[in-house]
Amino acid sequence: MKKVVITGMGVVTPVGSTLEKFWNALLNGQSGLNLATKVDRDKYPVKVVGEVKDYNPENFMSKKEVRRMDLFVQYAVGAAAMAIQDAKLDMKAVNADRVGCVIGSGIGGLNTLQEQHRILLEKGPDRVSPFFIPMMIADMASGMVSIINGAKGPNFACVSACASSAHALGESLKLIRYGEADVMISGGAEATICDMGMAGFCSARAMSMRFDPPSKSSCPFDKKRDGFVMGEGAGIIILESEEHALARGARIYAEFCGAGYSSDAYHMTAPAEGGEGAARAIRAALASAQLGPETVDYINAHGTSTELNDKNETAAIKTVFGQRAYDINISSTKSMVGHLLGASGSVELIASALSLQNGVVPPTINYEDPDPDCDLNYTPNTAVKRDIKVAISNSFGFGGHNACLVLRKT
């Protein structure tokens, strides 16, 4: 079984669309959340989202290509280009048949669906774009990244709501471990800040209605939390077998050593009581990594700022780690970037890799009013230096999908 390492990373997020901007924002506790501008917020009880503000798709593709891609695909293509550049991966120098691409998206091209439905109603079926279906379907991020970069290995998408990109990375880990690929371009992308996305999540009463100030709307593990804040963006990671990375002299961020999955088999949107399913995913991930609970120093929590997730995730952590749970640094970077839905797992694994490499735990901002049900060390409000040898990242999705990923310092 081959060792798998991270050699490149690229991000498009509400706090910045370069690794440097992203990491500096996290360390400084900088919020990327603000009043929505992509929808008429006066129509909704929810006012705050995490919009990407500094991304120009034409830096990565032609105007013609932009018109033929939904925004989530544009984000994925840009993040993949940055990750490939960060890894110094020359696609012409590697065996393209051994380079794969697995990118997850929880919802896919919702903006395209909304716009083409409007055209259907207003102008008739013959005016619907011939690119409607390929622009909308969730696998097109993986497809276009593969096409643009000439990656001819395994290529597919994972769709498991907010665990989509974590599952994509876990499947990519397996493909390299068992010799089916040398390199995987993997992660997730999402772009759902549009009327359909806002209306759907508002109707589900899943999002925070606090907005004064917007930067405090997401407050994971805090007693006053009242829902998640929807974000958008992408996180793409270059994974390689260790031997392939060393052979080309690549810089290695961390070893990607484990992935574990489970299902709550409980409820459409609510987590299982006591975080029972989440605990099984964490244990499965540690078993995959051949590591014990005593080795974990940092947990990048799913930490959505919803009442049920945060207390049940806390319970799951206590179940797996026992009394040692109080000695582990935990943080929710969603407090700053919002919930990137299907892209959250990959963006959070990037944050975890940077934490491990730099020996710094990013904070959970807006943690001001402790909740008795959430009594662990959530690294409140200020980044903390810590020698991190093992980090895990949790992702849980509607439908009871749970995934946990494990990184180890090299």
Side-chain angles (χ1 to χ4, degrees), residues 55-71 73-75 77-78 81 131 135 144 147-148:
Y55 177 73
N56 182 358
E58 291 177 27
N59 291 337
F60 305 99
M61 64 199 87
S62 69
K63 288 183 179 180
K64 181 178 179 180
E65 288 174 315
V66 171
R67 289 195 300 270
R68 293 180 176 182
M69 294 184 203
D70 185 85
L71 188 57
V73 180
Q74 295 174 29
Y75 287 161
V77 168
F131 294 98
M135 286 174 70
M144 289 308 303
I147 291 166
I148 289 170

Side-chain angles (χ1 to χ4, degrees), residues 11-12 38 51-53 55 57 61 70-80 82 188-191 232-236:
V11 292
V12 176
K38 293 187 173 184
E51 296 176 346
V52 170
K53 305 172 186 71
Y55 177 73
M61 64 199 87
D70 185 85
L71 188 57
F72 89 102
V73 180
Q74 295 174 29
Y75 287 161
V77 168
M82 288 184 274
E190 204 80 88
E232 61 178 355
I236 302 294

Side-chain angles (χ1 to χ4, degrees), residues 186-210:
S186 187
E190 204 80 88
T192 57
I193 302 176
C194 61
D195 283 308
M196 288 192 73
M198 286 288 284
F201 281 120
C202 283
S203 293
R205 299 183 179 180
M207 294 196 292
S208 174
M209 291 191 286
R210 300 170 65 245

Side-chain angles (χ1 to χ4, degrees), residues 180-336:
E180 295 184 45
D182 297 323
V183 180
M184 292 298 298
I185 305 167
S186 187
E190 204 80 88
T192 57
I193 302 176
C194 61
D195 283 308
M196 288 192 73
M198 286 288 284
F201 281 120
C202 283
S203 293
R205 299 183 179 180
M207 294 196 292
S208 174
M209 291 191 286
R210 300 170 65 245
F211 60 89
D212 188 15
S215 60
K216 289 186 176 290
S217 293
S218 180
C219 50
F221 305 106
D222 189 279
K223 192 173 183 178
K224 63 180 174 291
R225 67 190 186 275
D226 70 332
F228 75 86
V229 176
M230 180 164 51
E232 61 178 355
I236 302 294
I237 298 173
I238 305 302
L239 303 174
E240 298 185 54
S241 68
E242 184 182 51
E243 61 183 323
H244 189 275
L246 293 176
R248 68 179 191 88
R251 180 259 331 269
I252 292 173
Y253 283 103
E255 180 188 355
F256 181 19
C257 56
Y261 313 146
S262 72
S263 173
D264 286 346
Y266 174 73
H267 188 272
M268 186 182 292
T269 57
E273 292 290 336
E276 179 272 335
R280 284 188 285 111
I282 295 169
R283 283 178 169 148
L286 291 172
S288 170
Q290 298 183 325
L291 293 171
E294 72 282 356
T295 63
V296 176
D297 303 301
Y298 170 54
I299 299 173
N300 189 297
H302 189 55
T304 57
S305 190
T306 61
E307 180 186 354
L308 291 179
N309 174 86
D310 294 5
K311 75 175 183 179
N312 283 297
E313 185 173 11
T314 296
I317 291 168
K318 290 178 181 178
T319 297
V320 174
F321 297 96
Q323 189 61 33
R324 191 172 177 277
Y326 293 89
D327 299 325
I328 298 171
N329 275 92
I330 302 165
S331 65
S332 172
T333 45
K334 288 185 178 74
S335 61
M336 294 171 275

Side-chain angles (χ1 to χ4, degrees), residues 254-258 285-286 289 291 295-300 321 328-329 348-349 351-357 361 387-394 404-409:
E255 180 188 355
F256 181 19
C257 56
L286 291 172
L291 293 171
T295 63
V296 176
D297 303 301
Y298 170 54
I299 299 173
N300 189 297
F321 297 96
I328 298 171
N329 275 92
E348 289 159 16
L349 194 70
S352 302
L354 291 170
S355 297
L356 190 148
Q357 186 193 47
V361 177
D387 181 22
I388 304 168
K389 292 183 174 62
V390 175
I392 69 171
S393 180
N394 293 334
C404 177
L405 308 178
V406 187
L407 300 180
R408 177 164 47 195
K409 193 172 187 177

